[in-house]
Amino acid sequence: MKKKYSIGDVSKLFQVAKSTLRYWDAENLIQLERNENNDYRVYTLRELLTILDITLYRKLNMPVKKLKEMYQWDVDAWEDVLCQEIQVVNEKIKSLREIKKNLQSRKDKLQQVEQLQKHSFTESEPDIDKIVSYQIDDSYLFNTYLQNPYNFIIYLSPDMDNSEFIPIYGMSVSAITESSNVIWEREENNKKYMQCLLRVTREEPYNTNLDEIRKNLEKQGYKTGAIIGRFLATAKELVCYDFYKVWVEII
């Protein structure tokens, strides 16, 4: 007499949830017999071997729909199926690498916030060639932001202070990008800039450290002009801030 197993036995043996075994049964991946006394489904050695195969290929992320036909495949068919699954995995790896790169980029920007908090003012050239005004319905600029939020730009006119904090927002684009909405463009005249950290309160955007930045530079004998900056990160200190790495024009 061949040995028969209950669903609980099989679940414990293969570490597979009972609900999963029932699903495989409903999808006809396994063909179960019935207990003559209570009509419960029972598993024989044949089904256990099938479950081994199903478990193996499910761990390889092969869809249940494909596994329904696995015992109908010859060697060539198996090779085709596995090649298809390898391609799927390669695409996922590519996507995950991109996700990892973007996560690392966000982490790097947080580290830049920390560095700028430690080093208040340093002379530095903006790493920006051209700024165009940001239009929320412009799909190109929208995708530019999604690719890298560091491309999101804040522009502050020379006479702007906290009492009239009305920044212009834009996107950093390459020098060869054509646009009728250029806010700022790099000039070859060796202008001097001081780099520092701008904090903008999210709930009250007019609450910034802009006045503090201008006053500190004035104390050092500098006259300040326009300010341009790249978005770094949003994080909470006492309140929630948007942090920008900014370059203050010295005139």
Side-chain angles (χ1 to χ4, degrees), residues 191-226:
K191 283 187 177 180
K192 181 176 180 178
Y193 293 87
M194 297 299 287
Q195 178 183 284
C196 59
L197 185 68
L198 174 70
R199 301 189 310 269
V200 180
T201 308
R202 284 192 65 83
E203 295 300 323
E204 300 173 338
Y206 53 84
N207 187 356
T208 77
N209 65 331
L210 175 60
D211 287 353
E212 178 185 338
I213 288 171
R214 291 198 188 278
K215 287 177 181 177
N216 278 329
L217 287 171
E218 287 168 4
K219 285 180 181 178
Q220 297 179 48
Y222 296 120
K223 184 177 180 181
T224 62

PDB file of all heavy atoms in Angstrom, residues 191-226:
ATOM      1  N   LYS A 191      33.341  84.981 -12.970  1.00  0.00           N
ATOM      2  CA  LYS A 191      32.663  85.490 -11.788  1.00  0.00           C
ATOM      3  C   LYS A 191      33.034  84.656 -10.568  1.00  0.00           C
ATOM      4  O   LYS A 191      33.321  83.465 -10.675  1.00  0.00           O
ATOM      5  CB  LYS A 191      31.144  85.446 -11.986  1.00  0.00           C
ATOM      6  CG  LYS A 191      30.604  86.544 -12.871  1.00  0.00           C
ATOM      7  CD  LYS A 191      29.076  86.519 -12.879  1.00  0.00           C
ATOM      8  CE  LYS A 191      28.522  87.671 -13.696  1.00  0.00           C
ATOM      9  NZ  LYS A 191      27.034  87.661 -13.718  1.00  0.00           N
ATOM     10  N   LYS A 192      32.983  85.293  -9.411  1.00  0.00           N
ATOM     11  CA  LYS A 192      33.293  84.593  -8.176  1.00  0.00           C
ATOM     12  C   LYS A 192      31.994  84.207  -7.473  1.00  0.00           C
ATOM     13  O   LYS A 192      31.040  84.983  -7.424  1.00  0.00           O
ATOM     14  CB  LYS A 192      34.134  85.496  -7.260  1.00  0.00           C
ATOM     15  CG  LYS A 192      34.528  84.846  -5.939  1.00  0.00           C
ATOM     16  CD  LYS A 192      35.441  85.766  -5.146  1.00  0.00           C
ATOM     17  CE  LYS A 192      35.839  85.137  -3.829  1.00  0.00           C
ATOM     18  NZ  LYS A 192      36.765  85.992  -3.048  1.00  0.00           N
ATOM     19  N   TYR A 193      31.970  82.985  -6.921  1.00  0.00           N
ATOM     20  CA  TYR A 193      30.811  82.501  -6.186  1.00  0.00           C
ATOM     21  C   TYR A 193      31.253  81.885  -4.863  1.00  0.00           C
ATOM     22  O   TYR A 193      32.322  81.269  -4.773  1.00  0.00           O
ATOM     23  CB  TYR A 193      30.064  81.425  -6.976  1.00  0.00           C
ATOM     24  CG  TYR A 193      29.393  81.924  -8.239  1.00  0.00           C
ATOM     25  CD1 TYR A 193      30.095  81.976  -9.437  1.00  0.00           C
ATOM     26  CD2 TYR A 193      28.055  82.326  -8.235  1.00  0.00           C
ATOM     27  CE1 TYR A 193      29.492  82.425 -10.599  1.00  0.00           C
ATOM     28  CE2 TYR A 193      27.445  82.775  -9.394  1.00  0.00           C
ATOM     29  CZ  TYR A 193      28.169  82.821 -10.571  1.00  0.00           C
ATOM     30  OH  TYR A 193      27.559  83.253 -11.730  1.00  0.00           O
ATOM     31  N   MET A 194      30.399  82.044  -3.847  1.00  0.00           N
ATOM     32  CA  MET A 194      30.608  81.384  -2.559  1.00  0.00           C
ATOM     33  C   MET A 194      29.515  80.333  -2.385  1.00  0.00           C
ATOM     34  O   MET A 194      28.326  80.628  -2.546  1.00  0.00           O
ATOM     35  CB  MET A 194      30.570  82.388  -1.422  1.00  0.00           C
ATOM     36  CG  MET A 194      31.665  83.443  -1.487  1.00  0.00           C
ATOM     37  SD  MET A 194      33.345  82.734  -1.403  1.00  0.00           S
ATOM     38  CE  MET A 194      33.411  82.282   0.339  1.00  0.00           C
ATOM     39  N   GLN A 195      29.950  79.134  -2.052  1.00  0.00           N
ATOM     40  CA  GLN A 195      29.014  78.012  -1.897  1.00  0.00           C
ATOM     41  C   GLN A 195      28.620  77.845  -0.434  1.00  0.00           C
ATOM     42  O   GLN A 195      29.452  77.962   0.467  1.00  0.00           O
ATOM     43  CB  GLN A 195      29.687  76.738  -2.396  1.00  0.00           C
ATOM     44  CG  GLN A 195      28.849  75.479  -2.255  1.00  0.00           C
ATOM     45  CD  GLN A 195      29.623  74.259  -2.718  1.00  0.00           C
ATOM     46  OE1 GLN A 195      29.786  74.025  -3.909  1.00  0.00           O
ATOM     47  NE2 GLN A 195      30.129  73.495  -1.767  1.00  0.00           N
ATOM     48  N   CYS A 196      27.332  77.577  -0.196  1.00  0.00           N
ATOM     49  CA  CYS A 196      26.856  77.346   1.167  1.00  0.00           C
ATOM     50  C   CYS A 196      25.531  76.585   1.128  1.00  0.00           C
ATOM     51  O   CYS A 196      25.095  76.140   0.063  1.00  0.00           O
ATOM     52  CB  CYS A 196      26.701  78.669   1.924  1.00  0.00           C
ATOM     53  SG  CYS A 196      25.557  79.817   1.140  1.00  0.00           S
ATOM     54  N   LEU A 197      24.892  76.452   2.276  1.00  0.00           N
ATOM     55  CA  LEU A 197      23.657  75.671   2.385  1.00  0.00           C
ATOM     56  C   LEU A 197      22.472  76.604   2.649  1.00  0.00           C
ATOM     57  O   LEU A 197      22.480  77.391   3.593  1.00  0.00           O
ATOM     58  CB  LEU A 197      23.769  74.667   3.530  1.00  0.00           C
ATOM     59  CG  LEU A 197      22.597  73.689   3.690  1.00  0.00           C
ATOM     60  CD1 LEU A 197      22.544  72.711   2.526  1.00  0.00           C
ATOM     61  CD2 LEU A 197      22.721  72.919   5.012  1.00  0.00           C
ATOM     62  N   LEU A 198      21.453  76.484   1.800  1.00  0.00           N
ATOM     63  CA  LEU A 198      20.210  77.235   1.991  1.00  0.00           C
ATOM     64  C   LEU A 198      19.151  76.307   2.559  1.00  0.00           C
ATOM     65  O   LEU A 198      18.944  75.203   2.041  1.00  0.00           O
ATOM     66  CB  LEU A 198      19.726  77.809   0.656  1.00  0.00           C
ATOM     67  CG  LEU A 198      18.352  78.512   0.681  1.00  0.00           C
ATOM     68  CD1 LEU A 198      18.427  79.829   1.457  1.00  0.00           C
ATOM     69  CD2 LEU A 198      17.847  78.751  -0.741  1.00  0.00           C
ATOM     70  N   ARG A 199      18.486  76.763   3.630  1.00  0.00           N
ATOM     71  CA  ARG A 199      17.378  76.022   4.228  1.00  0.00           C
ATOM     72  C   ARG A 199      16.077  76.743   3.938  1.00  0.00           C
ATOM     73  O   ARG A 199      15.969  77.952   4.190  1.00  0.00           O
ATOM     74  CB  ARG A 199      17.536  75.887   5.746  1.00  0.00           C
ATOM     75  CG  ARG A 199      18.783  75.186   6.207  1.00  0.00           C
ATOM     76  CD  ARG A 199      18.718  74.923   7.712  1.00  0.00           C
ATOM     77  NE  ARG A 199      18.368  76.125   8.457  1.00  0.00           N
ATOM     78  CZ  ARG A 199      19.249  76.985   8.953  1.00  0.00           C
ATOM     79  NH1 ARG A 199      20.547  76.779   8.757  1.00  0.00           N
ATOM     80  NH2 ARG A 199      18.858  78.055   9.614  1.00  0.00           N
ATOM     81  N   VAL A 200      15.101  76.011   3.430  1.00  0.00           N
ATOM     82  CA  VAL A 200      13.778  76.578   3.168  1.00  0.00           C
ATOM     83  C   VAL A 200      12.750  75.727   3.899  1.00  0.00           C
ATOM     84  O   VAL A 200      12.626  74.526   3.643  1.00  0.00           O
ATOM     85  CB  VAL A 200      13.453  76.595   1.656  1.00  0.00           C
ATOM     86  CG1 VAL A 200      12.069  77.197   1.423  1.00  0.00           C
ATOM     87  CG2 VAL A 200      14.513  77.371   0.888  1.00  0.00           C
ATOM     88  N   THR A 201      12.008  76.345   4.821  1.00  0.00           N
ATOM     89  CA  THR A 201      11.005  75.603   5.580  1.00  0.00           C
ATOM     90  C   THR A 201       9.869  75.180   4.658  1.00  0.00           C
ATOM     91  O   THR A 201       9.325  75.992   3.906  1.00  0.00           O
ATOM     92  CB  THR A 201      10.431  76.478   6.717  1.00  0.00           C
ATOM     93  OG1 THR A 201      11.519  76.996   7.474  1.00  0.00           O
ATOM     94  CG2 THR A 201       9.522  75.661   7.617  1.00  0.00           C
ATOM     95  N   ARG A 202       9.505  73.915   4.711  1.00  0.00           N
ATOM     96  CA  ARG A 202       8.478  73.408   3.803  1.00  0.00           C
ATOM     97  C   ARG A 202       7.111  74.009   4.094  1.00  0.00           C
ATOM     98  O   ARG A 202       6.353  74.337   3.182  1.00  0.00           O
ATOM     99  CB  ARG A 202       8.403  71.878   3.893  1.00  0.00           C
ATOM    100  CG  ARG A 202       9.551  71.192   3.181  1.00  0.00           C
ATOM    101  CD  ARG A 202       9.305  69.715   3.037  1.00  0.00           C
ATOM    102  NE  ARG A 202       8.176  69.408   2.186  1.00  0.00           N
ATOM    103  CZ  ARG A 202       8.225  69.359   0.865  1.00  0.00           C
ATOM    104  NH1 ARG A 202       9.352  69.619   0.232  1.00  0.00           N
ATOM    105  NH2 ARG A 202       7.155  69.048   0.148  1.00  0.00           N
ATOM    106  N   GLU A 203       6.764  74.155   5.355  1.00  0.00           N
ATOM    107  CA  GLU A 203       5.440  74.668   5.708  1.00  0.00           C
ATOM    108  C   GLU A 203       5.347  76.181   5.533  1.00  0.00           C
ATOM    109  O   GLU A 203       4.278  76.714   5.267  1.00  0.00           O
ATOM    110  CB  GLU A 203       5.113  74.290   7.160  1.00  0.00           C
ATOM    111  CG  GLU A 203       4.978  72.789   7.401  1.00  0.00           C
ATOM    112  CD  GLU A 203       3.881  72.161   6.567  1.00  0.00           C
ATOM    113  OE1 GLU A 203       2.826  72.800   6.369  1.00  0.00           O
ATOM    114  OE2 GLU A 203       4.070  71.024   6.093  1.00  0.00           O
ATOM    115  N   GLU A 204       6.484  76.875   5.681  1.00  0.00           N
ATOM    116  CA  GLU A 204       6.509  78.329   5.545  1.00  0.00           C
ATOM    117  C   GLU A 204       7.698  78.698   4.657  1.00  0.00           C
ATOM    118  O   GLU A 204       8.765  79.042   5.159  1.00  0.00           O
ATOM    119  CB  GLU A 204       6.634  79.003   6.908  1.00  0.00           C
ATOM    120  CG  GLU A 204       5.487  78.665   7.860  1.00  0.00           C
ATOM    121  CD  GLU A 204       5.727  79.220   9.251  1.00  0.00           C
ATOM    122  OE1 GLU A 204       6.902  79.479   9.607  1.00  0.00           O
ATOM    123  OE2 GLU A 204       4.739  79.402   9.977  1.00  0.00           O
ATOM    124  N   PRO A 205       7.550  78.617   3.331  1.00  0.00           N
ATOM    125  CA  PRO A 205       8.683  78.781   2.408  1.00  0.00           C
ATOM    126  C   PRO A 205       9.430  80.104   2.552  1.00  0.00           C
ATOM    127  O   PRO A 205      10.589  80.190   2.143  1.00  0.00           O
ATOM    128  CB  PRO A 205       8.015  78.667   1.029  1.00  0.00           C
ATOM    129  CG  PRO A 205       6.786  77.867   1.268  1.00  0.00           C
ATOM    130  CD  PRO A 205       6.300  78.261   2.625  1.00  0.00           C
ATOM    131  N   TYR A 206       8.775  81.124   3.111  1.00  0.00           N
ATOM    132  CA  TYR A 206       9.459  82.405   3.310  1.00  0.00           C
ATOM    133  C   TYR A 206      10.392  82.355   4.521  1.00  0.00           C
ATOM    134  O   TYR A 206      11.181  83.274   4.755  1.00  0.00           O
ATOM    135  CB  TYR A 206       8.437  83.536   3.502  1.00  0.00           C
ATOM    136  CG  TYR A 206       7.422  83.269   4.580  1.00  0.00           C
ATOM    137  CD1 TYR A 206       7.696  83.542   5.915  1.00  0.00           C
ATOM    138  CD2 TYR A 206       6.189  82.694   4.269  1.00  0.00           C
ATOM    139  CE1 TYR A 206       6.775  83.266   6.907  1.00  0.00           C
ATOM    140  CE2 TYR A 206       5.260  82.416   5.256  1.00  0.00           C
ATOM    141  CZ  TYR A 206       5.558  82.695   6.571  1.00  0.00           C
ATOM    142  OH  TYR A 206       4.646  82.400   7.560  1.00  0.00           O
ATOM    143  N   ASN A 207      10.296  81.279   5.323  1.00  0.00           N
ATOM    144  CA  ASN A 207      11.148  81.120   6.497  1.00  0.00           C
ATOM    145  C   ASN A 207      12.422  80.391   6.069  1.00  0.00           C
ATOM    146  O   ASN A 207      12.455  79.169   5.967  1.00  0.00           O
ATOM    147  CB  ASN A 207      10.405  80.327   7.575  1.00  0.00           C
ATOM    148  CG  ASN A 207      11.171  80.278   8.887  1.00  0.00           C
ATOM    149  OD1 ASN A 207      12.297  80.768   8.976  1.00  0.00           O
ATOM    150  ND2 ASN A 207      10.569  79.679   9.887  1.00  0.00           N
ATOM    151  N   THR A 208      13.478  81.169   5.817  1.00  0.00           N
ATOM    152  CA  THR A 208      14.733  80.603   5.310  1.00  0.00           C
ATOM    153  C   THR A 208      15.909  81.217   6.064  1.00  0.00           C
ATOM    154  O   THR A 208      15.739  82.112   6.904  1.00  0.00           O
ATOM    155  CB  THR A 208      14.899  80.903   3.806  1.00  0.00           C
ATOM    156  OG1 THR A 208      15.313  82.274   3.651  1.00  0.00           O
ATOM    157  CG2 THR A 208      13.603  80.667   3.041  1.00  0.00           C
ATOM    158  N   ASN A 209      17.095  80.764   5.721  1.00  0.00           N
ATOM    159  CA  ASN A 209      18.312  81.380   6.275  1.00  0.00           C
ATOM    160  C   ASN A 209      18.974  82.310   5.253  1.00  0.00           C
ATOM    161  O   ASN A 209      20.175  82.572   5.316  1.00  0.00           O
ATOM    162  CB  ASN A 209      19.298  80.308   6.734  1.00  0.00           C
ATOM    163  CG  ASN A 209      19.822  79.451   5.574  1.00  0.00           C
ATOM    164  OD1 ASN A 209      19.116  79.278   4.587  1.00  0.00           O
ATOM    165  ND2 ASN A 209      21.031  78.926   5.712  1.00  0.00           N
ATOM    166  N   LEU A 210      18.179  82.797   4.291  1.00  0.00           N
ATOM    167  CA  LEU A 210      18.718  83.661   3.238  1.00  0.00           C
ATOM    168  C   LEU A 210      19.350  84.925   3.803  1.00  0.00           C
ATOM    169  O   LEU A 210      20.470  85.300   3.427  1.00  0.00           O
ATOM    170  CB  LEU A 210      17.608  84.012   2.236  1.00  0.00           C
ATOM    171  CG  LEU A 210      17.980  85.007   1.134  1.00  0.00           C
ATOM    172  CD1 LEU A 210      19.123  84.471   0.278  1.00  0.00           C
ATOM    173  CD2 LEU A 210      16.759  85.318   0.273  1.00  0.00           C
ATOM    174  N   ASP A 211      18.644  85.614   4.715  1.00  0.00           N
ATOM    175  CA  ASP A 211      19.191  86.845   5.296  1.00  0.00           C
ATOM    176  C   ASP A 211      20.505  86.559   6.023  1.00  0.00           C
ATOM    177  O   ASP A 211      21.460  87.340   5.943  1.00  0.00           O
ATOM    178  CB  ASP A 211      18.183  87.458   6.275  1.00  0.00           C
ATOM    179  CG  ASP A 211      16.998  88.091   5.567  1.00  0.00           C
ATOM    180  OD1 ASP A 211      17.030  88.160   4.321  1.00  0.00           O
ATOM    181  OD2 ASP A 211      16.028  88.480   6.252  1.00  0.00           O
ATOM    182  N   GLU A 212      20.549  85.432   6.716  1.00  0.00           N
ATOM    183  CA  GLU A 212      21.762  85.049   7.448  1.00  0.00           C
ATOM    184  C   GLU A 212      22.936  84.849   6.483  1.00  0.00           C
ATOM    185  O   GLU A 212      24.061  85.271   6.760  1.00  0.00           O
ATOM    186  CB  GLU A 212      21.488  83.758   8.220  1.00  0.00           C
ATOM    187  CG  GLU A 212      22.677  83.216   8.996  1.00  0.00           C
ATOM    188  CD  GLU A 212      22.364  81.879   9.646  1.00  0.00           C
ATOM    189  OE1 GLU A 212      21.166  81.571   9.864  1.00  0.00           O
ATOM    190  OE2 GLU A 212      23.327  81.127   9.909  1.00  0.00           O
ATOM    191  N   ILE A 213      22.665  84.233   5.351  1.00  0.00           N
ATOM    192  CA  ILE A 213      23.715  83.999   4.351  1.00  0.00           C
ATOM    193  C   ILE A 213      24.262  85.331   3.837  1.00  0.00           C
ATOM    194  O   ILE A 213      25.480  85.555   3.803  1.00  0.00           O
ATOM    195  CB  ILE A 213      23.157  83.163   3.168  1.00  0.00           C
ATOM    196  CG1 ILE A 213      22.918  81.723   3.599  1.00  0.00           C
ATOM    197  CG2 ILE A 213      24.114  83.205   1.969  1.00  0.00           C
ATOM    198  CD1 ILE A 213      22.183  80.884   2.565  1.00  0.00           C
ATOM    199  N   ARG A 214      23.361  86.232   3.456  1.00  0.00           N
ATOM    200  CA  ARG A 214      23.816  87.521   2.898  1.00  0.00           C
ATOM    201  C   ARG A 214      24.586  88.328   3.950  1.00  0.00           C
ATOM    202  O   ARG A 214      25.632  88.920   3.653  1.00  0.00           O
ATOM    203  CB  ARG A 214      22.622  88.306   2.371  1.00  0.00           C
ATOM    204  CG  ARG A 214      21.966  87.685   1.118  1.00  0.00           C
ATOM    205  CD  ARG A 214      21.106  88.712   0.409  1.00  0.00           C
ATOM    206  NE  ARG A 214      20.309  88.150  -0.678  1.00  0.00           N
ATOM    207  CZ  ARG A 214      20.760  87.911  -1.910  1.00  0.00           C
ATOM    208  NH1 ARG A 214      22.028  88.171  -2.192  1.00  0.00           N
ATOM    209  NH2 ARG A 214      19.950  87.432  -2.847  1.00  0.00           N
ATOM    210  N   LYS A 215      24.080  88.353   5.185  1.00  0.00           N
ATOM    211  CA  LYS A 215      24.734  89.135   6.243  1.00  0.00           C
ATOM    212  C   LYS A 215      26.124  88.584   6.567  1.00  0.00           C
ATOM    213  O   LYS A 215      27.081  89.347   6.788  1.00  0.00           O
ATOM    214  CB  LYS A 215      23.868  89.142   7.495  1.00  0.00           C
ATOM    215  CG  LYS A 215      22.628  90.021   7.353  1.00  0.00           C
ATOM    216  CD  LYS A 215      21.755  89.942   8.590  1.00  0.00           C
ATOM    217  CE  LYS A 215      20.500  90.808   8.426  1.00  0.00           C
ATOM    218  NZ  LYS A 215      19.599  90.696   9.604  1.00  0.00           N
ATOM    219  N   ASN A 216      26.250  87.244   6.603  1.00  0.00           N
ATOM    220  CA  ASN A 216      27.558  86.644   6.887  1.00  0.00           C
ATOM    221  C   ASN A 216      28.576  86.985   5.820  1.00  0.00           C
ATOM    222  O   ASN A 216      29.746  87.274   6.113  1.00  0.00           O
ATOM    223  CB  ASN A 216      27.426  85.116   6.999  1.00  0.00           C
ATOM    224  CG  ASN A 216      26.939  84.680   8.369  1.00  0.00           C
ATOM    225  OD1 ASN A 216      27.209  85.332   9.366  1.00  0.00           O
ATOM    226  ND2 ASN A 216      26.216  83.570   8.427  1.00  0.00           N
ATOM    227  N   LEU A 217      28.138  86.978   4.562  1.00  0.00           N
ATOM    228  CA  LEU A 217      29.061  87.312   3.484  1.00  0.00           C
ATOM    229  C   LEU A 217      29.400  88.797   3.491  1.00  0.00           C
ATOM    230  O   LEU A 217      30.539  89.192   3.193  1.00  0.00           O
ATOM    231  CB  LEU A 217      28.462  86.898   2.138  1.00  0.00           C
ATOM    232  CG  LEU A 217      28.447  85.379   1.883  1.00  0.00           C
ATOM    233  CD1 LEU A 217      27.636  85.049   0.638  1.00  0.00           C
ATOM    234  CD2 LEU A 217      29.871  84.844   1.754  1.00  0.00           C
ATOM    235  N   GLU A 218      28.435  89.642   3.827  1.00  0.00           N
ATOM    236  CA  GLU A 218      28.685  91.084   3.907  1.00  0.00           C
ATOM    237  C   GLU A 218      29.703  91.389   5.006  1.00  0.00           C
ATOM    238  O   GLU A 218      30.542  92.281   4.857  1.00  0.00           O
ATOM    239  CB  GLU A 218      27.378  91.831   4.155  1.00  0.00           C
ATOM    240  CG  GLU A 218      26.480  91.876   2.903  1.00  0.00           C
ATOM    241  CD  GLU A 218      25.075  92.364   3.209  1.00  0.00           C
ATOM    242  OE1 GLU A 218      24.824  92.748   4.385  1.00  0.00           O
ATOM    243  OE2 GLU A 218      24.223  92.356   2.294  1.00  0.00           O
ATOM    244  N   LYS A 219      29.633  90.624   6.116  1.00  0.00           N
ATOM    245  CA  LYS A 219      30.598  90.810   7.204  1.00  0.00           C
ATOM    246  C   LYS A 219      32.018  90.472   6.753  1.00  0.00           C
ATOM    247  O   LYS A 219      32.994  90.985   7.288  1.00  0.00           O
ATOM    248  CB  LYS A 219      30.216  89.927   8.393  1.00  0.00           C
ATOM    249  CG  LYS A 219      29.019  90.436   9.181  1.00  0.00           C
ATOM    250  CD  LYS A 219      28.710  89.507  10.344  1.00  0.00           C
ATOM    251  CE  LYS A 219      27.491  89.998  11.123  1.00  0.00           C
ATOM    252  NZ  LYS A 219      27.137  89.075  12.245  1.00  0.00           N
ATOM    253  N   GLN A 220      32.104  89.575   5.762  1.00  0.00           N
ATOM    254  CA  GLN A 220      33.412  89.194   5.231  1.00  0.00           C
ATOM    255  C   GLN A 220      33.877  90.163   4.147  1.00  0.00           C
ATOM    256  O   GLN A 220      34.918  89.969   3.525  1.00  0.00           O
ATOM    257  CB  GLN A 220      33.351  87.768   4.666  1.00  0.00           C
ATOM    258  CG  GLN A 220      33.044  86.701   5.705  1.00  0.00           C
ATOM    259  CD  GLN A 220      32.966  85.301   5.094  1.00  0.00           C
ATOM    260  OE1 GLN A 220      33.841  84.900   4.326  1.00  0.00           O
ATOM    261  NE2 GLN A 220      31.934  84.562   5.434  1.00  0.00           N
ATOM    262  N   GLY A 221      33.055  91.205   3.907  1.00  0.00           N
ATOM    263  CA  GLY A 221      33.431  92.232   2.941  1.00  0.00           C
ATOM    264  C   GLY A 221      32.932  91.985   1.529  1.00  0.00           C
ATOM    265  O   GLY A 221      33.367  92.653   0.587  1.00  0.00           O
ATOM    266  N   TYR A 222      32.009  91.030   1.372  1.00  0.00           N
ATOM    267  CA  TYR A 222      31.498  90.725   0.050  1.00  0.00           C
ATOM    268  C   TYR A 222      30.162  91.422  -0.203  1.00  0.00           C
ATOM    269  O   TYR A 222      29.332  91.563   0.696  1.00  0.00           O
ATOM    270  CB  TYR A 222      31.282  89.215  -0.117  1.00  0.00           C
ATOM    271  CG  TYR A 222      32.541  88.388  -0.038  1.00  0.00           C
ATOM    272  CD1 TYR A 222      32.677  87.406   0.947  1.00  0.00           C
ATOM    273  CD2 TYR A 222      33.582  88.573  -0.942  1.00  0.00           C
ATOM    274  CE1 TYR A 222      33.824  86.625   1.030  1.00  0.00           C
ATOM    275  CE2 TYR A 222      34.735  87.796  -0.884  1.00  0.00           C
ATOM    276  CZ  TYR A 222      34.847  86.832   0.108  1.00  0.00           C
ATOM    277  OH  TYR A 222      35.979  86.064   0.184  1.00  0.00           O
ATOM    278  N   LYS A 223      29.970  91.827  -1.447  1.00  0.00           N
ATOM    279  CA  LYS A 223      28.660  92.297  -1.881  1.00  0.00           C
ATOM    280  C   LYS A 223      28.035  91.179  -2.705  1.00  0.00           C
ATOM    281  O   LYS A 223      28.662  90.659  -3.639  1.00  0.00           O
ATOM    282  CB  LYS A 223      28.781  93.569  -2.727  1.00  0.00           C
ATOM    283  CG  LYS A 223      27.433  94.160  -3.131  1.00  0.00           C
ATOM    284  CD  LYS A 223      27.597  95.455  -3.904  1.00  0.00           C
ATOM    285  CE  LYS A 223      26.234  96.023  -4.298  1.00  0.00           C
ATOM    286  NZ  LYS A 223      26.369  97.276  -5.085  1.00  0.00           N
ATOM    287  N   THR A 224      26.820  90.812  -2.349  1.00  0.00           N
ATOM    288  CA  THR A 224      26.225  89.632  -2.966  1.00  0.00           C
ATOM    289  C   THR A 224      25.266  89.975  -4.100  1.00  0.00           C
ATOM    290  O   THR A 224      24.606  91.010  -4.080  1.00  0.00           O
ATOM    291  CB  THR A 224      25.468  88.792  -1.916  1.00  0.00           C
ATOM    292  OG1 THR A 224      24.402  89.569  -1.371  1.00  0.00           O
ATOM    293  CG2 THR A 224      26.399  88.351  -0.811  1.00  0.00           C
ATOM    294  N   GLY A 225      25.199  89.056  -5.070  1.00  0.00           N
ATOM    295  CA  GLY A 225      24.287  89.208  -6.201  1.00  0.00           C
ATOM    296  C   GLY A 225      23.255  88.101  -6.202  1.00  0.00           C
ATOM    297  O   GLY A 225      22.705  87.743  -5.160  1.00  0.00           O
ATOM    298  N   ALA A 226      23.029  87.538  -7.351  1.00  0.00           N
ATOM    299  CA  ALA A 226      22.035  86.465  -7.481  1.00  0.00           C
ATOM    300  C   ALA A 226      22.533  85.194  -6.807  1.00  0.00           C
ATOM    301  O   ALA A 226      23.734  84.999  -6.591  1.00  0.00           O
ATOM    302  CB  ALA A 226      21.741  86.199  -8.949  1.00  0.00           C
TER     303      ALA A 226
END
